[in-house]
Amino acid sequence: MSEFRLQAISPQGKAIKTEFEATSKKEAKNKVDKLSRKKGFKVKSIDKKETYQYKVQKGAKDPVTGEQEAYSKEEVEKALVKLGYKVIRVNKKWFDFKGSVPQKEVVSFISLSADLLEQQLSFDEILTLLYEDTQNQRMKETIKEIQKDLKDGKDGREVYSKHEDVFGKFACYMLSVASTSGNMALVFKSTAKFMERDQEFKSNLRKALLMPTITVLATIAVLLFYVGYIFPATAEVFLDIGIDLYEQAPMTAYTLDLSYWLQDNWIAITLAHIIPIAGIYYWIKTPQGELWKDKHITKLPVLGDIIHKTSIEIFSRVFYTLYSGSGQNIEVLKVAAEACRNKYMEKQIKEVAIKKMLKDGAGLIESLRATGVFTETAISRFKLGAESGALRENAKQLAEYYELQTTYKMDTVIDMISLFINLFIMVVLIAITIVSSEAALIKPKAPGAP
């Protein structure tokens, strides 16, 4: 989100100056046009906040350089002069590439904030400490901007929402909740834990699916290159000297036929694989496709159970953090549903559970059971918590139990997949070796023999 400043004249002739956010200059202009038609003011200018580089000097000291965000070059010059500097140069930074912030850096920021909050430091002091210790330039700018906005008295949601590209949508929501909650340290710690688990799960999923897939595809590519290019160059030598391969080396003959077929139809074969895969990929990126994928992915053997329980773990962890123990906590269910990283679970919780609670007056446990997306273990833990008055604590226990279970299961799955990949590579190598070695059994006819 970029920051913009509107300068206008009201119908009564008064000057209007206000700041707002938009994703682009075009969107900012559309917002202002709608507002001006409604309020009847005259637009003077819409300025975007940009980064300016400056070089200044104070007295006999050496010149210093720096950067400052502002709506115009003149604003930067006036601010520097006001601070007693002699302005040597102020130029707009044309290539304002801020870079990215690694997920580990974000988790570290939130975890350290939680630890320091528990030590009774003020959040302003914490931001100052983290700003000084952070090496990532983008993160430093983000911390500086958060600190400035909080000092200006801005609402937590407004402060963090502009940094969704750094923290992520859910983390921004949780941090904004923390700024108004009675236990800021707990919310920060739970958010850090959620992000750690999310990062760990994605890393394990890559190990379980991505790397094995790349390995298998690479092995298949090597096999096809051997069969389609290298093997014919060797086998055709026997054809040139009149050897009947079907009689003396049938495996070599059939492999050569396969090679010719691949060479003749490689375009059709490639398209037959790429088009369906690309079509499925783009379809699951649509809302309908993503919903279908998340509904059925939990039914996969072994891995589906891990994905399902990880989503319930995240739901329970967020529920534990936000649940107040009073009323139905509909907003808590919505946030936890959005955080669980499964669109089908989110849909069922919002459209079945929450609807059942609001319209039918059903209880939490009955409503969660009606969604059909929670395991019996999860339902029994929530039910026990509701009956004993310790719903939050039981949600936390469920999250920790599923964390341990899914971690052990994922390690086992990764080991199993690695084993099958090694077996696959072994089979391919044995097949290549057998077919290649068959050539050693071929006996050319003696010169002059019939």
Side-chain angles (χ1 to χ4, degrees), residues 250-267:
M251 284 190 296
T252 301
Y254 290 124
T255 303
L256 190 60
D257 290 341
L258 174 62
S259 176
Y260 291 150
W261 182 77
L262 290 173
Q263 291 176 26
D264 293 339
N265 300 282
W266 72 270
I267 295 177

Side-chain angles (χ1 to χ4, degrees), residues 146-162:
I146 289 171
Q147 190 173 31
K148 177 182 176 297
D149 288 343
L150 290 174
K151 283 182 177 179
D152 291 343
K154 291 185 179 179
D155 176 71
R157 188 179 292 269
E158 183 184 357
V159 171
Y160 293 104
S161 62
K162 65 173 71 172

Side-chain angles (χ1 to χ4, degrees), residues 108-223:
S108 176
F109 167 79
I110 299 174
S111 297
L112 287 171
S113 297
D115 292 338
L116 294 172
L117 283 166
E118 288 182 338
Q119 296 176 27
Q120 306 302 313
L121 269 72
S122 70
F123 194 50
D124 185 62
E125 290 178 297
I126 293 170
L127 291 175
T128 301
L129 289 171
L130 294 177
Y131 176 82
E132 292 172 354
D133 291 338
T134 301
Q135 300 299 317
N136 185 280
Q137 189 59 37
R138 178 77 184 280
M139 193 66 190
K140 286 179 78 76
E141 292 179 9
T142 302
I143 294 171
K144 184 180 178 182
E145 196 168 347
I146 289 171
Q147 190 173 31
K148 177 182 176 297
D149 288 343
L150 290 174
K151 283 182 177 179
D152 291 343
K154 291 185 179 179
D155 176 71
R157 188 179 292 269
E158 183 184 357
V159 171
Y160 293 104
S161 62
K162 65 173 71 172
H163 304 297
E164 279 188 11
D165 56 334
V166 175
F167 295 105
K169 184 177 179 181
F170 173 73
C172 283
Y173 175 84
M174 293 296 285
L175 296 181
S176 66
V177 168
S179 62
T180 56
S181 70
N183 195 338
M184 197 172 179
L186 174 63
V187 179
F188 265 76
K189 182 160 282 189
S190 298
T191 306
K193 183 64 179 178
F194 160 79
M195 296 187 73
E196 286 171 359
R197 286 289 295 145
D198 187 59
Q199 188 179 19
E200 181 185 350
F201 179 76
K202 288 177 180 177
S203 175
N204 287 334
L205 204 59
R206 279 194 294 270
K207 289 179 184 177
L209 296 178
L210 184 60
M211 292 310 297
T213 301
I214 292 173
T215 303
V216 169
L217 291 177
T219 304
I220 292 172
V222 170
L223 179 63

Side-chain angles (χ1 to χ4, degrees), residues 3 19 21 38 87 129 155 168 170 201-202 204 216 224 243 246 255 264 318 330 332 344 366 392 402 443:
E3 292 184 61
E19 297 178 1
E21 294 179 350
K38 185 177 179 181
V87 178
L129 289 171
D155 176 71
F170 173 73
F201 179 76
K202 288 177 180 177
N204 287 334
V216 169
L224 291 175
I243 292 177
Y246 288 100
T255 303
D264 293 339
V318 176
I330 299 300
V332 173
Y344 180 71
E366 180 188 349
R392 284 186 74 245
Y402 273 161
K443 296 179 180 180

Side-chain angles (χ1 to χ4, degrees), residues 444-450:
K445 293 179 181 180

Side-chain angles (χ1 to χ4, degrees), residues 352-423:
V352 177
I354 294 178
K355 182 179 177 182
K356 199 172 181 65
M357 291 171 71
L358 290 175
K359 289 193 174 182
D360 303 337
L364 175 65
I365 310 307
E366 180 188 349
S367 302
L368 292 180
R369 189 188 295 276
T371 62
V373 296
F374 289 93
T375 61
E376 281 302 316
T377 301
I379 293 296
S380 66
R381 294 305 302 176
F382 281 122
K383 183 178 181 181
L384 179 62
E387 292 174 349
S388 63
L391 189 56
R392 284 186 74 245
E393 288 71 19
N394 276 265
K396 183 183 179 183
Q397 290 171 4
L398 177 64
E400 291 174 346
Y401 169 67
Y402 273 161
E403 177 186 350
L404 289 171
Q405 190 184 67
T406 54
T407 300
Y408 290 138
K409 279 190 175 181
M410 183 62 83
D411 290 340
T412 303
V413 169
I414 291 171
D415 291 339
M416 287 177 58
I417 291 175
S418 297
L419 174 63
F420 282 116
I421 294 300
N422 290 332
L423 288 173

